[in-house]
Amino acid sequence: MKAVNKKIGCIGAGNMGGAILSRLAAGADPSAISVYDITPGKADALAHGTGITVAGSPEDCARASDILILAVKPDAVIAALNSIRSAVASDAIIVSIAAGVTIAAMEKVLGRSMKIVRVMPNTPAMVGEGMSVLAPNGAVDDNSLLDVERIFSRIGRVLVLPEKLMDAVTGLSGSGPAYVFTFIQALADGGVKLGIPREKALVLAAQTVMGSAKYLLESGEDPMALRGKVTSPGGTTIEGIHVLERSGFSGIVMDAVEKAAQKSQKLGEK
């Protein structure tokens, strides 16, 4: 996807904000990108490694931006919006990556005419393999949405879904990496129990998960069909699957996604 020919700013230079800006700076003019963080050292470190500009205040960052990304904690979003409300251009695009903060809550501060896109990325963005879901408000036109898609395509795959599904997205792909890391750890522990050195077991487990995910995405096949290709009648794999399903593995994962989604919904109600 083409680069974004807009000035981009980001309030928040933490893990996710830093990952987005680092990848944008690698494929665009870093002088067109600015960042502000309440902790000056974070913004300075990011600028030193990328060549992007450090803004002196949230207002300065907003004034310099056609697209402004809010990469702050959910409980800091409204305060950030209030601080930049008078500085942001009327035709700018506001992008929030905060879990649980609704478009309606942001429109209360900025007005319904402001272009707002709510985004849920995830931490594999750090290595360019993230999953980001975008939900625009009614003021966002197709070209503006495409610009935001181009930004997040720099850190992985992008989908556009209605905002009503964002809590579910948070529970699935937003929190999902933690479930996968837990599964990788469990796979590796199983190997260690059977005598494989831990560092080797972790490589075996992580590569198996990564390769399986890539196989699924590139083949386009149903995961149960792919599972069937591994599961020979009377073989080793069906023995393991039996243990997982007898222990409620699928139901436990579904419960985890649902609980995380419910928590996201509660965050939005505050």
Side-chain angles (χ1 to χ4, degrees), residues 9-269:
C10 184
I11 298 176
N15 289 338
M16 192 59 67
I20 294 168
L21 293 183
S22 294
R23 292 197 167 264
L24 283 174
D29 177 7
S31 66
I33 302 171
S34 59
V35 62
Y36 171 80
D37 195 280
I38 194 170
T39 305
K42 284 187 178 181
D44 290 339
L46 184 60
H48 180 74
T50 60
I52 65 179
T53 301
V54 176
S57 68
E59 294 86 349
D60 289 343
C61 192
R63 289 189 192 98
S65 304
D66 300 313
I67 301 174
L68 182 66
I69 301 169
L70 300 181
V72 299
K73 299 292 185 184
D75 60 2
V77 169
I78 300 305
L81 290 176
N82 277 313
S83 72
I84 59 96
R85 180 173 53 183
S86 61
V88 68
S90 60
D91 60 346
I93 307 168
I94 304 298
V95 177
S96 170
I97 63 171
V101 182
T102 65
I103 288 173
M106 291 184 275
E107 287 179 337
K108 282 184 179 179
V109 179
L110 300 176
R112 296 183 66 182
S113 62
M114 179 63 69
K115 298 174 185 176
I116 298 172
V117 182
R118 182 179 169 188
V119 181
M120 175 48 59
N122 63 11
T123 55
M126 310 298 177
V127 293
E129 293 292 346
M131 182 69 249
S132 300
V133 176
L134 282 54
N137 74 344
V140 176
D141 57 88
D142 290 344
N143 287 334
S144 296
L145 183 58
L146 184 59
D147 282 337
V148 179
E149 287 185 62
R150 285 171 175 156
I151 289 173
F152 285 90
S153 69
R154 300 289 300 177
I155 59 170
R157 293 184 179 232
V158 177
L159 288 176
V160 178
L161 290 174
E163 190 191 16
K164 67 181 181 180
L165 295 177
M166 289 299 275
D167 291 325
V169 167
T170 302
L172 199 167
S173 62
S175 300
Y179 316 150
V180 176
F181 296 143
T182 302
F183 179 58
I184 289 172
Q185 182 65 54
L187 276 179
D189 284 346
V192 170
K193 184 178 181 181
L194 295 172
I196 301 173
R198 177 161 296 280
E199 66 275 13
K200 305 295 184 184
L202 281 170
V203 171
L204 286 166
Q207 180 62 36
T208 297
V209 170
M210 184 174 74
S212 300
K214 187 173 183 179
Y215 184 18
L216 172 66
L217 288 171
E218 293 190 2
S219 71
E221 292 190 54
D222 184 272
M224 293 305 290
L226 293 177
R227 189 176 90 170
K229 292 181 178 181
V230 187
T231 311
S232 303
T236 59
T237 305
I238 193 61
E239 291 290 335
I241 292 292
H242 183 200
V243 172
L244 290 175
E245 296 299 6
R246 184 176 60 197
S247 302
F249 178 77
S250 295
I252 289 169
V253 174
M254 292 168 68
D255 286 347
V257 172
E258 187 174 34
K259 276 291 185 181
Q262 289 170 353
K263 179 65 174 182
S264 175
Q265 186 175 23
K266 287 180 181 178
L267 287 173
E269 293 170 354

